[in-house]
Amino acid sequence: MASHRWFAPISTLLITALAAIIRIANLANPRLLVFDETYYVKDAYTLGLFGSERNWQDNPNPDFESGILSGYLEGAAYVVHPPFGKWIIWSGLELFGADSSFGWRIATAVLGVLMVPLVILIARRLIGYNFFAAIAGLFMALEGLSITLARTAILDSNLAFFALLGFYFILLDTQTWSSRLQKTKSSALRFRPWLLLAGISLGLATGIKWSGLYFLAVFGLYTFVVDLWQRGRIGIPRILAVGQGALNAITLMVPALVSYLVTWLGWILGSNGWGRNAKATWYESLWAYHVNAYSFHTGLDSPHPYQSNAFGWLISLRPTAFFFERYEADSACGLLSNCTVALTAIPNLVIWIGGLMAIIWMALQLRHKFDPAALAIISGFLAGWLPWVFFLNRTAFQFYAVAYAPYLAIALAFALHAYWRKGVARKLRSRNGAIALVVFATVFVAIYFMSIWTALPVPHLIWQLQMLFPFWV
């Protein structure tokens, strides 16, 4: 059945439809600015009006949430993240109105949905089997951290999308280049156009959050390592990979820089942005702005009740609660007389723990046999996680891990495919059963946590049961 020519498009369509329902249904609730939406939605609104962010009067949220949008001030706001993520949010405000909580979140939700078919395309290239590519897409559709972040107008889900898009172009490049080397065995330097598209995508990711730079660096290094391996495998001198690597770096970095600067055009072309006139020229002013923002990011150590470091992310030690409210005899409860509405970024634990185990297994396998596909998945995970190990004392949150969530979904599907092909169980039927059990467990966990991922009203007891550990509360 998986080999049928209609299986791939139909399964992709159905899984994407499921992802869309989960990420867009009830999107307007809560009808309040939750967590960092208080910054990014209002910043996006003034960004669209003036080309750069503005300060707001004291306690502006109640008025803004009720549709009174005039509470901004003339003074420019100092913000520490680049503009592109807020331009994405602005597109939803422009389409549906800044007075609509649906409009605040829809653009982020759409990109969150699009990550699912993108995961399927990537998994199909890495695994080479439609059924397990579909499983990877299903895992992504049901991954809780990705669901919650896609339903919230903050930056990290958008960063994850553009990093993943860059990853897809990187895979197209390395596979195309490997095929060419295999056929021609030529050591001549070549311009690789897929890298240009990867550079644009990763430049836009960096234009959302500087964390995009980690993906640019790691994926660039990945192309060099694969080229080095491929040349050695077919008998071309490996030293020649250095020149190609330098050309690849230029092909990645120049469009990344250009696309990053394009995201700042509102600030560059205007005259009222924060720090815009600090120096004689726009580029000197922009550099001074970046130096200032860098100092903020590296020195951020303010305590927060939901802060969590990179090692805690691996096992979901401290999920971030975006919203929590108990209602009595309120319309928010629907048919319930009393209810709790919560929005908490808890990952799907089957994918989270299973994907991490798959990453570790693939890393161990690389010690014995080089596999570009496995290395690609590991690279995506490391780009999203490893840099944060060097900032353990910085105030950080578990939802930053959404940037590497797609690679856990792909890793788990990759490992299941390897198990299906030559697993410890002798009988194929037993292996099929084990894989079905993992998929069933993923679906079960998704159903169990769905209300807290999508801000659905439930009896308070349900929320208490979802808080599996005291340190989650």
Side-chain angles (χ1 to χ4, degrees):
M1 177 175 156
S3 60
H4 193 281
R5 65 190 181 97
W6 288 106
F7 177 85
I10 290 175
S11 62
T12 300
L13 182 63
L14 291 176
I15 293 168
T16 303
L18 174 65
I21 292 169
I22 293 172
R23 284 157 176 77
I24 297 176
N26 195 47
L27 186 63
N29 290 312
R31 298 181 184 275
L32 303 171
L33 295 166
V34 304
F35 205 72
D36 282 352
E37 284 185 341
T38 186
Y39 306 113
Y40 301 132
V41 173
K42 299 198 301 289
D43 282 349
Y45 179 65
T46 55
L47 191 66
L49 291 177
F50 305 107
S52 56
E53 300 87 344
R54 292 291 181 270
N55 285 315
W56 290 75
Q57 64 189 16
D58 293 339
N59 193 29
N61 286 5
D63 281 349
F64 191 91
E65 291 160 351
S66 63
I68 301 172
L69 309 175
S70 57
Y72 54 84
L73 305 174
E74 290 186 7
Y78 171 61
V79 295
V80 295
H81 292 301
F84 186 52
K86 287 159 281 187
W87 280 118
I88 293 171
I89 295 170
W90 170 83
S91 68
L93 307 186
E94 189 72 4
L95 287 172
F96 296 96
D99 57 350
S100 163
S101 54
F102 181 86
W104 304 343
R105 299 167 183 145
I106 183 58
T108 301
V110 168
L111 292 186
V113 172
L114 292 177
M115 271 201 283
V116 173
L118 191 52
V119 162
I120 294 174
L121 286 173
I122 289 168
R124 191 174 296 140
R125 286 199 161 267
L126 293 173
I127 300 172
Y129 200 90
N130 286 333
F131 178 76
F132 287 93
I135 286 181
L138 180 64
F139 287 158
M140 191 63 198
L142 300 178
E143 202 295 292
L145 200 64
S146 304
I147 292 169
T148 308
L149 270 293
R151 297 175 57 88
T152 312
I154 59 179
L155 306 180
D156 298 80
S157 181
N158 298 329
L159 163 67
F161 172 80
F162 281 97
L164 189 67
L165 183 62
F167 181 67
Y168 177 61
F169 290 134
I170 289 288
L171 291 180
L172 290 176
D173 166 75
T174 54
Q175 293 178 355
T176 302
W177 179 249
S178 294
S179 297
R180 184 187 177 280
L181 277 182
Q182 186 70 37
K183 290 178 180 178
T184 66
K185 294 183 171 56
S186 170
S187 58
L189 297 182
R190 296 286 181 179
F191 168 73
R192 293 159 61 167
W194 288 121
L195 291 182
L196 188 146
L197 293 177
I200 293 172
S201 301
L202 296 170
L204 293 176
T206 307
I208 297 169
K209 269 190 165 184
W210 285 352
S211 308
L213 283 172
Y214 303 142
F215 290 91
L216 178 65
V218 172
F219 292 162
L221 182 61
Y222 169 77
T223 64
F224 175 72
V225 170
V226 172
D227 191 18
L228 204 65
W229 167 78
Q230 182 73 358
R231 288 170 186 268
R233 192 170 70 91
I234 63 177
I236 299 175
R238 290 181 173 180
I239 189 64
L240 299 175
V242 175
Q244 183 65 52
L247 179 58
N248 292 352
I250 294 170
T251 310
L252 275 171
M253 292 171 63
V254 170
L257 177 61
V258 171
S259 60
Y260 178 77
L261 289 175
V262 166
T263 70
W264 282 89
L265 277 180
W267 185 91
I268 292 170
L269 298 177
S271 59
N272 298 319
W274 190 93
R276 173 62 183 84
N277 303 308
K279 301 290 182 180
T281 61
W282 69 264
Y283 49 86
E284 290 175 297
S285 297
L286 187 60
W287 178 255
Y289 194 140
H290 280 61
V291 170
N292 194 302
Y294 178 79
S295 298
F296 170 86
H297 284 299
T298 55
L300 183 61
D301 58 2
S302 305
H304 192 284
Y306 286 103
Q307 69 185 66
S308 174
N309 66 44
F311 289 110
W313 304 350
L314 296 177
I315 53 174
S316 190
L317 278 183
R318 190 61 172 152
T320 312
F322 290 161
F323 180 83
F324 177 88
E325 194 67 53
R326 294 187 70 176
Y327 297 98
E328 294 185 6
D330 193 282
S331 60
C333 295
L335 299 177
L336 300 172
S337 56
N338 303 297
C339 69
T340 291
V341 176
L343 186 67
T344 303
I346 298 172
N348 187 311
L349 296 177
V350 176
I351 299 166
W352 211 250
I353 303 302
L356 179 61
M357 293 172 62
I359 291 284
I360 294 170
W361 169 77
M362 285 190 288
L364 294 174
Q365 292 297 306
L366 282 177
R367 296 173 57 193
H368 306 292
K369 182 182 178 182
F370 185 84
D371 182 353
L375 181 62
I377 300 168
I378 294 170
S379 297
F381 166 77
L382 290 178
W385 177 76
L386 185 60
W388 293 99
V389 171
F390 300 98
F391 298 98
L392 294 179
N393 294 323
R394 183 193 186 275
T395 306
F397 300 92
Q398 183 175 302
F399 67 80
Y400 295 177
V402 73
Y404 68 74
Y407 309 97
L408 294 181
I410 297 167
L412 184 53
F414 186 93
L416 290 177
H417 174 251
Y419 171 74
W420 178 76
R421 289 182 57 215
K422 46 186 178 181
V424 293
R426 291 186 178 181
K427 293 183 179 179
L428 180 60
R429 183 180 300 176
S430 300
R431 298 200 293 270
N432 289 345
I435 292 168
L437 183 61
V438 173
V439 174
F440 174 81
T442 302
V443 173
F444 175 82
V445 170
I447 294 171
Y448 188 85
F449 286 110
M450 189 59 66
S451 65
I452 209 169
W453 294 341
T454 57
L456 293 174
V458 295
H460 188 66
L461 176 61
I462 297 296
W463 175 82
Q464 290 177 311
L465 292 173
Q466 290 170 330
M467 295 293 100
L468 299 180
F469 309 103
F471 45 82
W472 279 13
V473 179

